[in-house]
Amino acid sequence: MEVRGGETTGRDGVLHVDISKRRVQAERSFDLHLACQVPAGITILFGPSGAGKTTLLDCLAGLETPDAGRIVLGESVFFEAGHGINLPVQDRRVGYVFQDLALFPHLSVEKNVEYGLAKQEGAERRERSGVLLEAFGIAHLRQRRPREISGGERQRVALARALVTNPCLLLLDEPLAALDAATKSKIVEDLRRWNQTHGVPILYVTHGREEVFALGERVLVLDGGRVLAQGTPHEVMTAPRIETVAQLAGFENVFEARVAAIHADRGTMTCQLAGGPEIETPVVRGEKGAALRVGIRAGDILLATELPRGLSARNLLPGKMLAVTQRDVIVEAKVDCGVPFVVHLTLAARDSLQLQPGREVWLVIKTHSCHLMAR
Amino acid sequence: MDLQALWLTIRLALLVAGILLVLGLPLAYWIASTRWRWKFLVEAVVALPLVLPPTVLGFYLLVAMGTRSPLGRWWQSLTGHALAFTFEGLLIGSILYSLPFAVQPFAASFAAVDRRLLAASATLGAGSWRTFFRVVVPLSWPGLVSGMALSFAHTLGEFGVVLMVGGNIPGATRTVSIDIYDKVQAFDYAGANHAALLLLLLSFAVLSLVYAVNRRIWMVSPWK
């Protein structure tokens, strides 16, 4: 078999993946068995957290090694377990925009973008990076360091840095997660325009259901390390089997649970969250002891710093603050109630509540904010 | 003031710091990046000089440098003279004795570099050398400066190892610390005080540099 690294052009390079990988982590082991084909154009990689999206991207980039199988892009074999082929990361020509961007903090915006052009002459390097800096509207930031520019600008720099090398495959791990809708669609337009001339497969990871319809020509749905479905967003996202996954992906909080008691007369039931508290949920068909998943949106949870009284909401969970992080204009609070909950707050709410880690808090969740899904 | 001893000490300390930069970088990088299960043994060996009495290290070095050991014989056949009680012998002893002072700050600063940045560098086509010099070294330079300054300062002040493997040969192995000891033995307290004060000030200056470098980084770029 001929192995070629750097020379393949992007055009018509279809990505063939058939890999398996076993990961043993602290609490649970995780099996990934993925087989898929990705043609040129944007393919959305969709699924709940822990579905294996980032692991797949890392395997494609060469940052992780699958246990078995093969990865082929066009004519170049990235990985083939049987033949002992494992092309080093730096020879794969894969553009990768990481979830945390991983811009080089000690280099200016310009130097970050030029980083991948080490083999080019100085003049050509400046020209190629200049074109992308202009195209992404960040040319005026050339001399700034990554910490001196805004979140949206950083995302553009990361994208420009990955594109400037003319990669044969582009991997985007939730690259626009923290951006507002307008900025997001602008960047996606830039990306589409770029790919009209380059025609490479682009894998775009997202959690957001609405992004699937807005961006992708194709969608690949992952759950539990398997490909659950692939096709156009419309075909895939409306198929009943996928609905669970699609719904699941829209929830920041998903818990394994068991039905502890059913109160048919009141239209509710009590569910025991695995390793956590009991909560009251709407009643669904199912019997006592049945296993299901409970999804709760982070924005549907109220957070109180004193024990609230006289509420209509039936679920009042005591907990401890774990951490507060800011993602653009949303503040994400992690609260330990036996199981970790994610709660979204506004900036103003964070400032007035003084939520330092370790603080006692209460979470208020309406019965009907608990969405039940079959497993 | 014994200027010859002072010059010899500074030359020794500079050479030790320079050679430890060359030897310590790959060793520290290996320690920071390997997943080898027995790595802790290597780390323990590197740290030994921190706890070992200098006389113990000096004694084994003396034995290793003697003409009955393979190393000593090899050196003798190469240069025509023995390794013990020469400047070269002293240099080897000092390098081993200051090894942890260079390698530990190096390794700690390498380990603090975000692994995602290394991954990003690789996906942008950089091999491990380029990644090392363009990303790892620039992001860990306070650790590199600290390691070199500490090994320099530590060599300035060593006494036991010098006495064991170097003896007291003016111009070859007689360092300032030995000079101070001799002066005290000879009741020349004024002379000892001069030399001691000089070492004190020099060491203080070097340590101030170390802390200034680390403090500046902390103040200017709280990157989180």
Side-chain angles (χ1 to χ4, degrees), chain A residues 12-291:
Chain A
D12 306 316
V14 177
L15 176 70
H16 300 262
V17 184
D18 183 0
I19 52 169
S20 55
K21 180 168 178 68
R22 189 181 175 79
R23 261 185 132 169
V24 184
Q25 279 164 342
E27 296 129 47
R28 58 194 187 131
S29 67
F30 178 73
D31 274 310
L32 189 80
H33 291 284
L34 288 174
C36 57
Q37 290 194 11
V38 185
I42 300 181
T43 298
I44 301 287
L45 204 54
F46 180 72
S49 9
K53 301 181 301 262
T54 301
T55 308
L56 171 62
L57 296 196
D58 283 355
C59 286
L60 295 178
L63 299 170
E64 288 205 42
T65 309
D67 299 331
R70 62 199 303 257
I71 302 172
V72 181
L73 176 64
E75 290 169 18
S76 116
V77 180
F78 281 5
F79 176 79
E80 177 142 28
H83 291 73
I85 297 170
N86 189 10
L87 206 60
V89 184
Q90 62 266 31
D91 296 335
R92 293 194 181 194
R93 291 191 59 199
V94 170
Y96 196 158
V97 177
F98 298 91
Q99 199 166 5
D100 56 3
L101 303 181
L103 293 177
F104 302 120
H106 60 298
L107 298 180
S108 66
V109 164
E110 186 175 35
K111 293 281 176 210
N112 262 284
V113 175
E114 285 179 4
Y115 191 88
L117 300 175
K119 293 187 184 81
Q120 273 70 32
E121 294 288 315
E124 193 198 340
R125 200 185 312 161
R126 221 145 302 135
E127 197 204 314
R128 278 172 66 172
S129 72
V131 169
L132 273 160
L133 288 168
E134 291 290 344
F136 282 91
I138 44 177
H140 60 292
L141 304 170
R142 263 171 222 279
Q143 302 309 328
R144 305 268 195 91
R145 296 289 174 91
R147 63 168 170 275
E148 298 163 349
I149 61 179
S150 75
E153 289 163 345
R154 276 204 285 272
Q155 309 224 356
R156 283 159 197 240
V157 175
L159 208 51
R161 182 179 71 172
L163 295 183
V164 79
T165 57
N166 287 338
C168 304
L169 168 68
L170 189 59
L171 309 173
L172 307 170
D173 194 356
E174 290 200 72
L176 311 176
L179 296 184
D180 60 275
T183 317
K184 212 183 266 190
S185 62
K186 172 78 179 60
I187 295 184
V188 170
E189 268 323 299
D190 291 340
L191 195 60
R192 270 194 214 288
R193 200 151 11 90
W194 178 85
N195 208 32
Q196 268 164 16
T197 51
H198 291 80
V200 305
I202 300 177
L203 277 170
Y204 185 113
V205 170
T206 181
H207 268 81
R209 193 184 158 81
E210 61 289 352
E211 267 188 290
V212 176
F213 288 98
L215 299 178
E217 291 120 60
R218 258 175 318 283
V219 56
L220 199 65
V221 182
L222 300 193
D223 189 29
R226 315 282 148 127
V227 174
L228 213 56
Q230 43 188 324
T232 67
H234 192 73
E235 282 164 19
V236 168
M237 302 299 279
T238 51
R241 196 160 65 104
I242 307 305
E243 209 143 54
T244 348
V245 183
Q247 281 173 359
L248 219 54
F251 293 96
E252 292 82 358
N253 298 290
V254 177
F255 304 108
E256 305 291 326
R258 256 170 213 293
V259 179
I262 300 178
H263 321 288
D265 49 328
R266 282 184 266 154
T268 64
M269 58 187 201
T270 309
C271 290
Q272 173 74 49
L273 302 186
E278 286 189 342
I279 59 169
E280 192 179 281
T281 69
V283 77
V284 291
R285 252 165 293 165
E287 39 200 69
K288 204 174 155 191

